[in-house]
Amino acid sequence: MLLLAAVLTGCGFVTPTADSDDSGVTTTGNGEVVGTPTPLRNVPRELSTVADGKLVVYRMPGIQGNRIKATAMLFTPRKSPPAGGWPLLVWGHGTVGWAPECAPSVQLQEHRKWADGPNAALLAAVLKMGIAVVAPDYEGLGPTAAGVTTGHGYYHLSSEGKSMVFAAVAAKRYLGGRVSGEWVPAGWSEGGFAALSAAYYSGLSKKAEPALDYRGTIALAPVPDVPAMNKLLWRDIAHASKPGTRPTDHQIDQLVFANAETIYFTKTQLQAGYRVDPGQIYGPNMLKFYQQNWRTCLDDLNAMVKRDIKNYLNSSPSHRLASYPGIRGDAPNSLPENRRFYERNQGKLENSTLPGSVLWLYGADDITSPAAVTYHVVNKMLANANDINLAVFEGAGHYDVPVVGLPLIQARLRQLFPVRPAAHRPDRTAGAMKPGPGK
């Protein structure tokens, strides 16, 4: 695949705006490690051969203002840390669902499933560079036996940003001098939004743990403006619904995408106190899914909704994609509480000035975040004095970006994390201090 476009740069390192929610926030207790981290089971071989994996339970401020327990998978390179310790990558996973059992750590340990798309290979490559990785499940996702309670903050700025930030704090507190304190948030899809949210709240990391040093952000195929994306998506669905046309499988998938994940948004809005009425958002078929299947994780939910759409289309020659009794088209985006949710989360992020630089990777064939939407948001953020390096990959879709973008990710990490020599230990058999190999 061809790298089509390269660098758009704002004005270098800038400080957070006054609207970054850092001031006056107490960090006491947040990032505290609860209990003793336990070894991860069923880690993919590409990761287990280069890293040790543990499940960490930590405390963070929840979406409703209370302190909650959250979980993260912590991977440390098998080779000894360099002098000063490993730098840290905080990894945000893509959408998996809304219920606690959809968490990557639960899917891995209980179902032997790597839930985060193509990203095991990416994380393995990062670990081979001598960088530790902590991958939070996010608020509301994770094993209930560890104290995780239901209530995922899906595309909620504070919830996802603080899940990332306090996972970094927890990793530093647990690993101590084995990590240097330098850290970078990164993530794919929903995790791309989480990484940008972590940049927004990055000032909280140093308040909680002074040794932490935020260096910059890497966002892979983030979905930056859901209402704008929905508007274009529903335009395409309307075009595919003209009389005499039979929708393609790709067009059916677009309708699935427009419907299924909306359940997670609505659940988050209600969890966060927004007064939304599901009856105003969903027609009868999707309202039933919302009520009965909100715990269903994404892959299975998509399959169920797709099967229902196909049954609907096949039940009458007059049925069209746009008339499927699911989400009520683009209309719910105009509901006041929906507008308020997006303005206070994605909108607040887009209109802020983030610290450090952002490497933003995007595939030109990404239908999840159409090009017009991505470019508009990036331009808006550049106008707000953000330092963004945008790399666009011709011919790449949403799932391709972590693969084709890996060389750029590695190059950026080398820039952000200066190379240190390996730690030395004394050669006691010779009775003298000599350089020795790491353990």
Side-chain angles (χ1 to χ4, degrees):
M1 296 189 181
L2 175 67
L3 178 63
L4 173 66
V7 179
L8 296 172
T9 305
C11 60
F13 186 88
V14 291
T15 57
T17 64
D19 195 32
S20 65
D21 290 1
D22 284 358
S23 58
V25 177
T26 176
T27 57
T28 304
N30 293 323
E32 174 188 344
V33 177
V34 180
T36 302
T38 55
L40 285 169
R41 305 187 304 275
N42 307 322
V43 175
R45 182 171 175 77
E46 56 204 314
L47 284 171
S48 65
T49 55
V50 298
D52 295 313
K54 292 187 176 181
L55 183 73
V56 178
V57 183
Y58 63 99
R59 300 188 192 277
M60 62 166 283
I63 198 171
Q64 296 181 338
N66 54 328
R67 185 169 292 122
I68 62 164
K69 292 179 181 177
T71 52
M73 296 185 290
L74 177 63
F75 299 99
T76 52
R78 287 191 177 273
K79 59 185 178 181
S80 295
W86 299 299
L88 180 69
L89 182 83
V90 183
W91 176 255
H93 62 78
T95 300
V96 292
W98 201 80
E101 58 268 25
C102 298
S105 72
V106 178
Q107 292 295 307
L108 181 67
Q109 299 200 97
E110 303 304 326
H111 304 289
R112 296 180 176 271
K113 177 183 178 183
W114 179 261
D116 190 26
N119 295 312
L122 186 155
L123 297 185
V126 170
L127 286 155
K128 288 177 184 176
M129 296 174 65
I131 299 169
V133 174
V134 62
D137 288 321
Y138 306 143
E139 176 181 358
L141 301 178
T144 55
V148 173
T149 55
T150 301
H152 174 39
Y154 190 58
Y155 280 87
H156 188 281
L157 180 67
S158 174
S159 177
E160 298 210 343
K162 292 174 183 176
S163 294
M164 299 279 280
V165 165
F166 290 109
V169 174
K172 175 60 179 170
R173 289 179 176 171
Y174 173 64
L175 293 173
R178 287 183 287 168
V179 286
S180 65
E182 297 168 326
W183 72 284
V184 164
W188 168 70
S189 194
E190 179 186 355
F193 173 78
L196 294 169
S197 301
Y200 185 93
Y201 286 103
S202 59
L204 295 178
S205 65
K206 188 171 284 292
K207 284 187 177 182
E209 189 60 45
L212 285 173
D213 178 16
Y214 166 78
R215 307 291 293 173
T217 299
I218 302 173
L220 288 70
V223 182
D225 189 334
V226 169
M229 176 270 293
N230 277 336
K231 187 173 183 179
L232 293 180
L233 187 60
W234 281 103
R235 184 189 66 186
D236 290 345
I237 291 169
H239 182 74
S241 302
K242 293 179 180 178
T245 61
R246 184 169 183 82
T248 65
D249 203 57
H250 168 73
Q251 290 167 331
I252 292 173
D253 284 340
Q254 285 185 301
L255 185 61
V256 173
F257 177 59
N259 278 270
E261 292 181 37
T262 305
I263 289 176
Y264 306 148
F265 280 110
T266 304
K267 295 295 292 186
T268 295
Q269 288 172 298
L270 289 170
Q271 179 77 9
Y274 291 83
R275 297 180 299 276
V276 294
D277 177 6
Q280 290 185 291
I281 298 171
Y282 304 105
N285 288 38
M286 276 307 296
L287 187 60
K288 184 177 179 181
F289 279 117
Y290 171 81
Q291 294 168 338
Q292 298 181 5
N293 302 103
W294 63 266
R295 298 193 77 101
T296 305
C297 301
L298 182 63
D299 290 347
D300 291 337
L301 180 62
N302 281 340
M304 293 168 65
V305 172
K306 185 171 185 176
R307 188 161 52 247
D308 193 62
I309 291 171
K310 285 187 171 182
N311 289 340
Y312 170 79
L313 293 173
N314 292 333
S315 65
S316 171
S318 65
H319 286 175
R320 298 284 182 268
L321 285 180
S323 60
Y324 172 69
I327 189 171
R328 301 183 186 279
D330 190 43
N333 286 323
S334 300
L335 295 172
E337 288 292 83
N338 276 351
R339 289 205 314 269
R340 190 163 70 98
F341 174 80
Y342 290 115
E343 287 169 359
R344 289 188 174 185
N345 291 282
Q346 288 187 312
K348 181 185 280 189
L349 180 63
E350 294 164 15
N351 287 291
S352 297
T353 305
L354 303 178
S357 63
V358 177
L359 174 62
W360 187 310
L361 306 182
Y362 174 70
D365 290 352
D366 190 340
I367 63 169
T368 304
S369 181
V373 174
T374 293
Y375 297 151
H376 176 73
V377 170
V378 169
N379 283 329
K380 182 191 295 186
M381 294 183 72
L382 287 170
N384 286 321
N386 284 281
D387 180 355
I388 298 178
N389 301 328
L390 175 66
V392 181
F393 299 95
E394 186 67 35
H398 194 64
Y399 285 81
D400 301 317
V401 170
V403 178
V404 298
L406 180 56
L408 282 184
I409 295 167
Q410 292 173 306
R412 177 53 59 92
L413 289 173
R414 291 188 189 100
Q415 291 176 340
L416 297 175
F417 297 143
V419 176
R420 291 187 176 90
H424 292 160
R425 60 179 179 173
D427 183 346
R428 300 190 185 279
T429 61
M433 296 291 288
K434 296 181 180 179
K439 291 182 181 179

